[in-house]
């Protein structure tokens, strides 16, 4: 198999990113919506993330985009959460459980640390054991389990928050 390359995403990736996202929307509870995203919406999302100074990474293998990941503010732009970010990672269905998601999330860590972030958080559907195991292998701990906070496919969904320190717990910050 061709080597995996993780790089900054660009606008030429938007169609493949939208296809991955929309497949996840249609086939899983990883995203709590049933509405697919349009190409302009995905382009706007990419431009907004990059424009705000946050990374969007693309995983490429054999010349094809096979996944992408990003992070942004946790709980909006509240000043008290300045040093925390929430990440998301999406992998094409035929490349899951092959290390793509791990490579993408691992590549986010130094970028977040360089932005003086202290904690990375993820929200994972409680039934998504593959994602929960991947996060645990990457050093995330399960810190919260919210029962029946989402609804999709005619059923209630539980959400698990996972957290990973990017530097030592208790590391002081100026603000």
């Amino acid at each position: 198999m061709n080597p995996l390359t993780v790089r900054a995403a660009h606008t030429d990736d938007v169609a493949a990113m939208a296809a991955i996202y929309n497949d996840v929307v249609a086939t899983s509870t990883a995203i709590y919506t049933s509405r697919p995203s349009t190409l302009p919406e995905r382009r706007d999302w990419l431009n907004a993330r990059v424009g705000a100074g946050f990374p969007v990474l693309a995983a490429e293998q054999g010349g094809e985009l096979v996944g992408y990941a990003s992070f942004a503010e946790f709980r909006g732009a509240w000043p008290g959460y300045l040093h925390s970010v929430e990440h998301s990672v999406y992998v094409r269905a035929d490349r899951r459980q092959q290390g793509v998601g791990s490579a993408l999330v691992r590549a986010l860590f130094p970028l977040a640390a360089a932005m003086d972030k202290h904690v990375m958080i993820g929200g994972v559907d409680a039934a998504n054991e593959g994602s929960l195991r991947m996060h645990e292998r990457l050093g995330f701990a399960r810190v919260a389990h919210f029962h029946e906070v989402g609804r999709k496919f005619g059923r209630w969904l539980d959400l698990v928050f996972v957290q990973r320190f990017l530097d030592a717990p208790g590391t002081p910050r100026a603000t």
Side-chain angles (χ1 to χ4, degrees), residues 6-174:
V6 176
R7 59 168 173 76
H10 44 74
T11 54
D12 291 345
D13 297 319
V14 168
M17 292 166 71
I20 292 169
Y21 181 90
N22 288 336
D23 178 65
V24 172
V25 166
T27 63
S28 79
T29 56
I31 303 171
Y32 289 5
T33 185
S34 297
R35 191 180 71 75
S37 183
T38 66
L39 287 178
E41 287 169 343
R42 282 288 94 189
R43 187 174 302 108
D44 290 348
W45 173 85
L46 173 66
N47 291 336
R49 284 281 167 107
V50 173
F54 293 109
V56 178
L57 300 180
E60 191 174 59
Q61 198 167 36
E64 297 179 347
L65 189 98
V66 296
Y68 65 100
S70 184
F71 64 76
E73 298 101 349
F74 174 66
R75 302 203 68 197
W78 287 86
Y81 297 109
L82 173 66
H83 300 289
S84 299
V85 290
E86 184 172 0
H87 78 286
S88 56
V89 58
Y90 305 104
V91 177
R92 203 170 75 188
D94 65 331
R95 292 299 205 276
R96 292 185 192 136
Q97 298 183 3
Q98 297 177 28
V100 175
S102 295
L104 282 163
V105 175
R106 198 176 297 113
L108 291 175
F109 297 154
L111 301 175
M115 294 173 69
D116 198 32
K117 303 305 177 184
H118 178 59
V119 171
M120 185 172 286
I121 297 162
V124 181
D125 183 74
N128 191 343
E129 283 298 326
S131 182
L132 289 168
R133 280 192 307 273
M134 176 197 76
H135 281 89
E136 287 172 354
R137 283 191 304 272
L138 292 173
F140 286 83
R142 297 183 196 202
V143 295
H145 187 129
F146 301 99
H147 298 274
E148 297 186 4
V149 296
R151 192 154 172 83
K152 188 173 178 181
F153 301 137
R155 66 181 191 271
W156 289 109
L157 305 172
D158 289 4
L159 180 67
V160 173
F161 269 15
V162 296
Q163 168 187 325
R164 183 186 191 277
F165 287 98
L166 299 166
D167 54 12
T171 299
R173 292 294 193 278

